[in-house]
Amino acid sequence: MKNLISKFTILFLVSSLFAVNVNAQEEEATTLQELLALVEQAAGRDAALEAERMRIFMSDQAAQTQLLADANAERTRQENLSTQLEDEFEANELLLADVQEQLDARLGSLREIFGVLQQVAGDARAQFQNSLTNIEFPDRGDFLTELAAKMGSTSQLASIEEIERLWFELQREATELGKVKLIPNFQLVTADGELANENIVRVGAFNIAANGRYLQHNPDTNSVSELQRQPEQSRFTNSTADLLESVDGFAPFGLDPTRGVILAAFVQSPNLGERIGQGGLVGYVILCLGAVGVLIALERLVSLTLAGQKVKAQLKSSTPDEGNALGRVLKIYNENPSADVESLELKLGEAILKEMPPLQRGILFIKVISVVAPLMGLLGTVTGMINTFQAITLFGTGDPRTMAGGISQALVTTVLGLVVAIPTVLLHTIVSGRSKSITQVLQEQSAGLVARRAEGA
């Protein structure tokens, strides 16, 4: 009994699912009798559908057979066509080889000539692209490109007109390279990046110049632009203006025979301000010390020169003048007419010692600067080498530009130290000599006065 109930339960679940899938709109069975009826109805419908499908399949069998026969016939036709095309291809290959052999036999040495012509066209295209004359004749590049590509094919040859034009372009290039030519109202790019129309002069294949400026040719864009930086020497930039204003056919001009190589290197070389800037903080300190030393030396030189002139004037006068050192020493002598020799000598010595500080003021500082300046340069050298080794540690030695900053600082500070030390040593020697000469005059006159008093006693 339990098995029977289980079977009916399973049958009920399956039948319910089947009924839902076949017709979702039918009502669910509530009793076993209704469920059995639904199952019988579904089975009847399935049998009817299967019978209909079999009928349709059997009725279409003839059409399917005909389609298969047509496909087999088409395959046969395509196979025959493929065989025919293969035969034609082989025949054309033989014919093409025969025609090519006839062409090679007829061309003979002419093919070698056209090969040379193709090479000349390719070389001329590369040379013309980098030539300064390309700014005037930009269309020839396309012609040479097409000519080289055309002769690169075995099926095409250059015409007489194309060969003559190639000869014409070569001859025109050779002629233009020997000219100094004015190109009026030409569009160029200024150093500020703006477009401007100016009169320019092309000097053969070497340089392009505008009024007071050198220009450069950009082969990639076939344009002319102003150099971002012009030569520092005015004699070069002035020569470009003279070239535009020349009326007699001759003008001095700074020509670059290397077609811009020397000019580019010359422009990139740093000027005096940039050289000093490479020395960094140490370089500026050295220059400040040098400026201070030179100013003090000049002030001392002027003061001592005036003091020496006053002393020389006092030597020619018997009346003491307190406006000079010798006059103040003579005044001490006149103010002590009754003093003995020893007292007078001491008083004159004291007067001379009072005159020494004004005469020697600042001279020692000049000497100190002449000694400290090269030491500061050595400090900059050591600092620059430390920076260089740090750059080598971080980036290696593959790129020399990473080490250039430290090396420049090392060398520039050394140069600045010597530049400051040499003139300050010379100025110290001159100023010290002027001071000693005045002091020597005072001592000589003092000794003479003491000797005169001793003789009078």
Side-chain angles (χ1 to χ4, degrees):
M1 186 63 181
K2 291 182 178 179
N3 292 334
L4 182 59
I5 293 174
S6 300
K7 291 179 180 180
F8 273 105
T9 303
I10 295 173
L11 180 60
F12 175 75
L13 294 174
V14 173
S15 299
S16 298
L17 294 173
F18 181 78
V20 172
N21 292 330
V22 172
N23 190 356
Q25 296 179 352
E26 293 182 356
E27 298 181 356
E28 296 182 358
T30 58
T31 64
L32 292 177
Q33 186 64 31
E34 291 177 356
L35 177 61
L36 181 60
L38 291 176
V39 173
E40 289 177 352
Q41 292 176 5
R45 284 195 301 269
D46 290 342
L49 290 174
E50 182 65 21
E52 182 64 20
R53 285 196 297 269
M54 290 300 296
R55 187 185 64 78
I56 294 174
F57 179 78
M58 294 303 293
S59 64
D60 291 341
Q61 186 176 8
Q64 298 295 331
T65 304
Q66 183 61 38
L67 290 175
L68 179 60
D70 293 343
N72 290 332
E74 181 64 21
R75 184 187 65 182
T76 303
R77 190 180 68 82
Q78 294 295 336
E79 289 176 351
N80 294 333
L81 180 60
S82 176
T83 303
Q84 180 183 356
L85 292 177
E86 289 178 356
D87 294 340
E88 291 181 0
F89 179 78
E90 293 177 357
N92 289 334
E93 285 287 332
L94 296 175
L95 179 61
L96 182 61
D98 185 30
V99 172
Q100 185 64 41
E101 184 179 356
Q102 294 178 11
L103 178 62
D104 294 339
R106 291 181 180 181
L107 286 177
S109 60
L110 190 61
R111 180 176 298 279
E112 182 179 354
I113 295 176
F114 281 106
V116 174
L117 191 64
Q118 178 188 5
Q119 182 180 359
V120 171
D123 295 342
R125 176 186 57 186
Q127 293 179 2
F128 290 175
Q129 183 179 3
N130 297 321
S131 176
L132 298 181
T133 60
N134 201 38
I135 61 177
E136 302 177 68
F137 315 107
D139 57 336
R140 59 187 181 182
D142 297 335
F143 162 72
L144 293 174
T145 301
E146 295 176 358
L147 180 60
K150 176 181 180 180
M151 290 187 296
S153 175
T154 57
S155 60
Q156 295 184 355
L157 298 176
S159 63
I160 297 298
E161 291 78 9
E162 291 173 335
I163 296 175
E164 288 180 348
R165 183 177 177 183
L166 176 61
W167 170 83
F168 170 76
E169 295 294 348
L170 294 174
Q171 179 63 34
R172 182 169 64 174
E173 177 71 9
T175 303
E176 291 294 331
L177 292 181
K179 293 181 179 179
V180 178
K181 190 173 182 179
L182 174 66
I183 306 175
N185 199 26
F186 189 85
Q187 188 180 70
L188 56 89
V189 181
T190 64
D192 299 331
E194 299 179 355
L195 296 177
N197 293 329
E198 298 185 21
N199 295 335
I200 66 173
V201 174
R202 175 179 58 80
V203 184
F206 304 108
N207 292 106
I208 309 177
N211 188 11
R213 307 186 309 281
Y214 282 92
L215 309 177
Q216 63 179 353
H217 176 231
N218 306 311
D220 295 335
T221 58
N222 195 28
S223 60
V224 174
S225 60
E226 179 183 350
L227 288 176
Q228 293 295 323
R229 181 173 174 178
Q230 297 293 328
E232 292 294 331
Q233 287 80 352
S234 59
R235 60 191 180 97
F236 293 122
T237 53
N238 291 340
S239 66
T240 60
D242 297 338
L243 190 64
L244 285 174
E245 298 173 358
S246 177
V247 294
D248 58 356
F250 296 94
F253 179 70
L255 183 67
D256 182 6
T258 61
R259 303 188 180 187
V261 177
I262 294 179
L263 180 60
F266 189 72
V267 167
Q268 292 300 323
S269 60
N271 54 28
L272 180 59
E274 293 172 341
R275 288 286 190 191
I276 295 174
Q278 291 175 352
L281 179 62
V282 178
Y284 289 117
V285 172
I286 294 174
L287 290 179
C288 291
L289 288 176
V292 172
V294 170
L295 291 176
I296 294 175
L298 293 178
E299 187 274 333
R300 288 286 78 205
L301 185 61
V302 173
S303 298
L304 293 175
T305 301
L306 295 177
Q309 292 176 354
K310 291 179 180 180
V311 168
K312 291 181 179 179
Q314 183 64 56
L315 290 174
K316 299 177 181 179
S317 175
S318 59
T319 303
D321 183 7
E322 294 185 4
N324 63 87
L326 181 58
R328 289 189 287 272
V329 172
L330 294 177
K331 183 180 178 181
I332 296 297
Y333 175 78
N334 294 333
E335 290 178 351
N336 297 276
S338 60
D340 55 18
V341 175
E342 293 181 359
S343 299
L344 180 62
E345 185 177 1
L346 293 175
K347 290 182 178 293
L348 292 177
E350 181 183 3
I352 294 175
L353 289 176
K354 288 182 180 180
E355 299 295 333
M356 292 294 290
L359 296 176
Q360 296 182 352
R361 185 180 69 249
I363 296 178
L364 181 60
F365 188 72
I366 298 174
K367 185 176 181 180
V368 170
I369 291 177
S370 66
V371 176
V372 170
L375 294 179
M376 292 290 294
L378 181 60
L379 174 62
T381 302
V382 175
T383 305
M385 295 309 298
I386 291 174
N387 294 334
T388 301
F389 288 125
Q390 288 179 347
I392 293 175
T393 303
L394 294 176
F395 306 105
T397 58
D399 190 0
R401 289 177 294 183
T402 59
M403 302 179 290
I407 296 175
S408 298
Q409 180 180 358
L411 297 178
V412 169
T413 51
T414 304
V415 172
L416 292 177
L418 295 177
V419 167
V420 171
I422 293 173
T424 49
V425 168
L426 294 177
L427 290 174
H428 173 266
T429 302
I430 296 173
V431 172
S432 178
R434 294 286 178 89
S435 175
K436 289 180 179 179
S437 64
I438 296 175
T439 304
Q440 185 177 2
V441 171
L442 296 180
Q443 291 175 349
E444 288 178 355
Q445 294 299 318
S446 174
L449 294 174
V450 171
R452 184 183 306 172
R453 177 63 60 85
E455 291 176 356

